[in-house]
Amino acid sequence: MQQPHPAGEAGKGQPPGNQPPWGPQPGPEQQAWGGQPVWGGPPTWGNPPGGPPAWGTPPHNHYGGPPPYQQPRYVAPPKPGIVPLRPLMFGEILDGSFQAIRRNAKAMLGAALLAQTLAAVLTAVLTAFSATSAASLESWAEGLTEQDLVPMVLTFASGILLVSVLTVFLSAVLQGAMVVPVARSVLNRPTGFRQMWALARSRAWALIRLAALLVGGGLLIALLFVALAVLLVSTVGGVGALILIPLGLVCFVLYVWVYIKLMVAPAAVVVEELGAVAGIRRSWELTRNSWWRLLGITLVVGIMVGIIAQIVTIPVSLLSGFYTGVVSPHGGAEQAMTAAVVAGVATAIVGAVVGAVGFAFQTSVMALLYLDLRMRRDGLDIALLRLLESGADPDGVPGRGVPVYRAEPGQNPWPHYGAPPNGAPPGGAWPNGR
């Protein structure tokens, strides 16, 4: 009689002498922890919860857990233009400013040259006039009395002040207009000179009124300081001069503080289509809790521009002395005068070009700081991303028409990155409106 197989039906067909296993063989997913792996294939160990998937396996959890056990992956914000669509860092602001000038050279450098031409022409005229008529002016001034000199000095100072005020007005208007190509470059939209003026033309009078307020406030503070200085010196003498030193430092600190608070007002006037007073209030609001950061960036950029300008203009300013002392040391007074005039004109031209590049760079930094502040406070990066995806308003100014977020009492004034403030619905208006 045939004896039954010890393993039952499961052992049929196996060669004699082999020890049959007790129970079914464990599969890869059923391998007991600490046991020997199954021969005939590589072992597959389950990933611990939250760990990365094994090499060559699909990104799912081997324990069969839900997707939250997966390790979240970082996705960088898009960078369609000169800067990424998120709050910016210092290096990105500098790089974005250079990129804005390079991509919109005609608009940026053309407007900056307009702002610097008046000062360059005035410098050239004064240099040539002083070089050609220094001797005649000295002999003419010897026969004048003090009563004759005072009106002449006042007239000369008034002319310089008038030209300076006009230059500040023109610079303020151009600074606001140059925000347009920088804002469009964020979405990789190039801007020509005519298009820049077409988009900023409606804000020209608001920029002029803003410049008038800023210049008027600065002149008022300067006149009050001069009047106080004259009063102190005339009443207490030398002690008044000692009092003026700390008072001057206080006025300087106050000027720097107000300047930083109002530095993005031209950008707010143009992009948000505000009036002069509303632009000042908006700049004051945006720079809250960011004053030291803005001061540091402004100082670094100003030092960089100043050093580069000096490196370029100093060799040109020494051209007259090099020509008269080395090339033609015995040329006479007439040749020295001609060399001085040529050197003065060359210095003015080079200074205008260098000043235009520096003005364009500083304006680009100011515009990017404004956009950065709005990304941090208003969620402007989300609005720009939607505008980029939809492709709407290709000829407009990015950021124009985006509602302003204002935190109510008890709310967080710093909405976190990646979500609209207060849970605003996508495509809807901000809860607080304007």
Side-chain angles (χ1 to χ4, degrees):
M1 180 182 295
Q2 187 178 3
Q3 297 294 330
H5 198 278
E9 296 297 329
K12 292 182 179 181
Q14 289 189 355
N18 289 344
Q19 194 74 3
W22 295 97
Q25 293 286 345
E29 301 293 337
Q30 299 172 343
Q31 178 68 33
W33 183 262
Q36 293 294 330
V38 180
W39 298 105
T44 304
W45 306 101
N47 290 335
W55 179 264
T57 59
H60 67 274
N61 186 268
H62 286 269
Y63 285 91
Y69 286 100
Q70 274 186 253
Q71 192 71 258
R73 293 184 299 173
Y74 172 75
V75 179
K79 184 183 177 182
I82 57 177
V83 292
L85 296 181
R86 57 165 173 75
L88 306 176
M89 294 183 292
F90 176 65
E92 294 168 340
I93 292 176
L94 295 183
D95 179 68
S97 300
F98 283 115
Q99 293 292 330
I101 296 174
R102 186 179 64 85
R103 299 187 184 191
N104 308 280
K106 293 182 179 179
M108 300 289 292
L109 296 180
L113 280 174
L114 287 178
Q116 299 296 317
T117 298
L118 185 59
V121 169
L122 177 63
T123 303
V125 170
L126 290 178
T127 303
F129 181 75
S130 60
T132 55
S133 58
S136 59
L137 281 176
E138 183 178 356
S139 60
W140 174 69
E142 289 178 355
L144 296 178
T145 61
E146 294 182 359
Q147 290 78 10
D148 298 329
L149 286 175
V150 171
M152 184 183 67
V153 172
L154 290 178
T155 303
F156 186 73
S158 300
I160 294 179
L161 181 62
L162 178 61
V163 173
S164 302
V165 169
L166 291 177
T167 304
V168 171
F169 267 81
L170 183 61
S171 300
V173 174
L174 292 175
Q175 191 179 33
M178 291 165 65
V179 174
V180 173
V182 178
R184 288 176 54 81
S185 295
V186 173
L187 297 183
N188 198 23
R189 297 175 178 178
T191 308
F193 189 80
R194 293 183 178 179
Q195 187 179 14
M196 179 187 70
W197 283 111
L199 293 173
R201 186 184 299 119
S202 61
R203 313 309 309 154
W205 284 111
L207 289 172
I208 292 175
R209 292 193 296 270
L210 174 65
L213 290 175
L214 298 179
V215 172
L219 290 177
L220 180 61
I221 293 177
L223 290 176
L224 289 176
F225 178 77
V226 170
L228 182 61
V230 171
L231 180 63
L232 287 175
V233 172
S234 60
T235 53
V236 296
V239 180
L242 297 177
I243 299 176
L244 287 177
I245 295 176
L247 184 61
L249 292 177
V250 171
C251 291
F252 176 75
V253 171
L254 180 63
Y255 169 78
V256 172
W257 181 68
V258 175
Y259 173 79
I260 297 297
K261 294 291 292 183
L262 303 181
M263 67 178 300
V264 297
V269 168
V270 173
V271 176
E272 301 181 41
E273 298 181 307
L274 302 176
V277 178
I280 291 176
R281 288 200 300 263
R282 178 63 171 151
S283 177
W284 201 278
E285 176 186 354
L286 282 174
T287 55
R288 186 182 300 125
N289 298 327
S290 301
W291 190 90
W292 287 105
R293 176 173 175 266
L294 297 177
L295 175 65
I297 295 176
T298 305
L299 284 178
V300 171
V301 171
I303 292 172
M304 288 174 52
V305 172
I307 292 176
I308 295 174
Q310 292 298 320
I311 292 175
V312 175
T313 56
I314 284 178
V316 180
S317 62
L318 298 177
L319 181 63
S320 175
F322 175 78
Y323 181 80
T324 56
V326 178
V327 178
S328 180
H330 306 292
E334 184 177 354
Q335 193 170 3
M337 180 182 64
T338 304
V341 172
V342 172
V345 174
T347 302
I349 294 175
V350 174
V353 175
V354 175
V357 176
F359 181 77
F361 180 68
Q362 290 176 310
T363 302
S364 300
V365 170
M366 182 272 296
L368 289 179
L369 285 175
Y370 164 77
L371 296 174
D372 172 69
L373 291 174
R374 289 202 65 188
M375 288 179 187
R376 295 173 185 270
R377 290 183 174 272
D378 300 338
L380 181 64
D381 47 348
I382 307 299
L384 293 179
L385 182 58
R386 293 171 184 160
L387 186 63
L388 175 67
E389 293 174 348
S390 64
D393 196 16
D395 297 325
V397 180
R400 181 173 288 180
V402 177
V404 175
Y405 167 71
R406 291 186 176 91
E408 296 177 354
Q411 294 179 345
N412 181 18
W414 296 91
H416 63 278
Y417 171 72
N422 294 342
W430 303 119
N432 299 320
R434 281 187 179 270

